[in-house]
């Protein structure tokens, strides 16, 4: 027969130990309330095997069977997904905001400088021989070039910053992957590869591993699979293994051979060779946002700014070469020739510069002159000029743009041009004699000036030949007008016919079938729309992250009110068990005294 006092003493001690363990776990919860990734812990208890006493079974106390953590895998996965989406949109919104603020800022945008440049040319049309006004045109051209190159420099800085952050993200991903692999090893050593070890789980190591996975999802979208031995296998991209047990596939970067300004990302093998992964595989997390920003919005802005610079310099230079300058010589280039960058426009804006230093070199006068009128009376040709042919304009609007030589223009090598009017009301046709001669061409109204006309081919649809003229009145049946080349050194300085064609380019669709201002405004609107959309997505992602964080915290986080109640509960249990032990001692002493 068992001694009653001894039984009570053992029961009391077991309860005392259970209460003490409960107090320890509760104290640990309270201490780690602000520890990132910490999951609330709790003890599980089981009654000891009861002892048969003849009349029934008497309890033998309690044992603490394990210390568990309040972990919810479903909520944890929700939090990881919300984290990677939030990180993606937050990063993307921040990066897009940089471009949006810059290109829409009138102090940094080339748009006002573009208006000032064409405005200076418009002023020059009032007095084409004015050297101060010509100098103003070149000064405004220089200001425009400075705005374009300054904006491009800022874009290059953004590109360098994005590539730097990509490299840093890869380094952080490797560090977290190594940490997860190390924790896999430590957890395996603690559990013996048993996902449900009899000695219990190493909760702090599990928390650290889950926190590392959450931080990894902030950088790159990761999928986690728990293996039968309790280790994590982590995949990124479209299923590329990053962590497998204790092994890590290291990521790395290298210079992009097709675009040395950028870095490529991928996995490195044992000899350091990089297996490049497509940027499109990374659609979430900070890394995905940086790659998406660099390869899309930033590249788009660089390309469009470069395309505008390429087409503006090409069209301006072409038209200026068609005219005659202050000294009666054929015009030369105004801007740096950027045609070599047609296939890589992102590099063009940095080279956009004014190469004309002498204002006398501006070709304001036409390279053609009227040489006579026959038949009819009163109506004469008051002016004639060369302009961009339709084939050249079409070439500028291709992707990449193409550039025909001025040597192919119909005014080059022209010896004579004859315009003939026939019928009532009269319609006109024209023929050109010379190196690039041809015809007959249709003559149609040019609405840009009163009584103005231009030559077009007879093709369907018709194409502008690149020559226009103005009459003093309406032509009559049987009239002919003749044109010849301007003799170098003899042109009238007051002839602003070529200058008018230079100025008219402001409203012509010379880049992506749009005018320069419209093209730039489209760029601003496109980036603005992307930024606004990203902002809305970021707001929604932040709300989802907050909700997922709250849900996970409510289920697994430390609740101080609950822990305070547990403290009181375990304290009272501890005190009660102490009384039981005290009573057992008294009872045991009384029994011994009776037996002695």
């Amino acid at each position: 027969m068992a001694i009653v006092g001894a039984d009570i003493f053992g029961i009391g001690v077991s309860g005392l130990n259970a209460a003490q363990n409960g107090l320890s776990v509760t104290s640990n919860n309270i201490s780690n309330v602000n520890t990132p990734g910490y999951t609330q812990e709790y003890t599980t208890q089981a009654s000891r095997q009861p002892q048969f006493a003849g009349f029934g079974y008497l309890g033998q106390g309690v044992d603490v069977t394990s210390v568990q953590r309040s972990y919810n895998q479903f909520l944890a996965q929700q939090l990881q997904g919300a984290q990677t989406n939030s990180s993606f949109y937050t990063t993307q919104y921040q990066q897009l905001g940089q471009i949006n603020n810059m290109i829409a800022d009138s102090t940094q945008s080339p748009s006002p400088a573009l208006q000032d440049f064409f405005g200076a040319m418009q002023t020059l049309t009032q007095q084409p021989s004015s050297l101060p006004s010509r100098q103003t045109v070149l000064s405004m051209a220089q200001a425009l070039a400075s705005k374009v190159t300054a904006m491009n420099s800022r874009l290059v800085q953004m590109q360098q910053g994005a590539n730097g952050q990509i490299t840093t993200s890869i380094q952080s991903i490797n560090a977290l992957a190594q940490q997860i692999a190390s924790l896999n090893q430590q957890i395996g050593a603690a559990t013996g590869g048993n996902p449900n070890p009899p000695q219990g789980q190493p909760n702090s190591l599990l928390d650290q591993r889950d926190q590392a996975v959450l931080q990894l999802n902030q950088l790159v979208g990761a999928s986690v699979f728990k293996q039968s031995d309790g280790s994590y296998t982590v995949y990124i991209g479209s299923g590329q293994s990053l962590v497998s047990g204790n092994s890590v596939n290291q990521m790395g970067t290298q210079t992009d051979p097709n675009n040395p300004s950028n870095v490529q990302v991928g996995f490195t093998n044992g000899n350091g060779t990089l297996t490049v992964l497509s940027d499109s595989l990374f659609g979430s997390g900070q890394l995905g946002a940086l790659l998406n920003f660099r390869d899309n919005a930033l590249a788009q802005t660089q390309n469009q700014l470069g395309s505008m610079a390429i087409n503006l310099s090409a069209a301006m230079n072409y038209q200026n070469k068609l005219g005659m300058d202050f000294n009666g010589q054929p015009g030369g280039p105004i801007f740096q020739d950027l045609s070599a960058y047609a296939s890589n426009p992102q590099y063009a804006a940095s080279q956009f510069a004014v190469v004309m230093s002498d204002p006398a070199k501006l070709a304001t006068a036409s390279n053609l002159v009227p040489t006579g009128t026959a038949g009819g009376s009163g109506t004469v040709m008051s002016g004639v000029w060369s302009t961009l042919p339709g084939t050249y304009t079409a070439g500028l609007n291709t992707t990449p743009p193409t550039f025909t030589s001025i040597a192919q223009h119909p005014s080059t090598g022209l010896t004579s041009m004859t315009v003939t009017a026939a019928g009532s009301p009269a319609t006109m046709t024209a023929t050109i004699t010379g190196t690039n001669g041809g015809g007959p061409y249709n003559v149609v109204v040019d609405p840009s000036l009163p009584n103005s006309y231009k030559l077009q081919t007879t093709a369907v649809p018709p194409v502008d030949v690149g020559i226009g003229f103005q009459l003093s009145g309406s032509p009559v049946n049987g009239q002919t007008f003749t044109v010849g080349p301007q003799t170098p050194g003899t042109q009238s300085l007051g002839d602003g016919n070529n200058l008018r064609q230079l100025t008219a380019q402001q409203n012509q669709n010379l880049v992506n079938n749009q005018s320069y201002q419209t093209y730039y405004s489209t760029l601003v609107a496109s980036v603005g729309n992307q930024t606004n959309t990203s902002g809305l997505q970021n707001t929604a992602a932040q709300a989802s992250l907050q909700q997922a964080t709250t849900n996970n915290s409510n289920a697994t986080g430390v609740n101080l009110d609950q822990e305070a109640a547990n403290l009181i509960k375990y304290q009272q249990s501890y005190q009660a068990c102490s009384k039981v032990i005290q009573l057992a001692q008294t009872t045991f002493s009384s029994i011994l005294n009776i037996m002695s």
Side-chain angles (χ1 to χ4, degrees), residues 197-210:
Q199 71 272 24
Q201 295 280 6
N203 293 327
S204 61
L205 295 178
L206 296 175
D207 286 344
Q208 291 175 40
R209 187 173 64 178
D210 288 333

Side-chain angles (χ1 to χ4, degrees), residues 12 15-16 19 570-583:
L16 190 68
Y570 291 126
Q571 180 184 22
Q572 290 176 343
S573 177
Y574 191 91
Q575 291 171 344
C577 289
S578 297
K579 288 291 185 181
V580 171
I581 294 172
Q582 182 180 4
L583 176 62

Side-chain angles (χ1 to χ4, degrees), residues 201-224:
Q201 295 280 6
N203 293 327
S204 61
L205 295 178
L206 296 175
D207 286 344
Q208 291 175 40
R209 187 173 64 178
D210 288 333
Q211 180 65 14
V213 169
L214 187 63
Q215 292 174 334
L216 180 64
N217 271 278
Q218 188 172 359
L219 296 172
V220 61
S223 301
V224 179

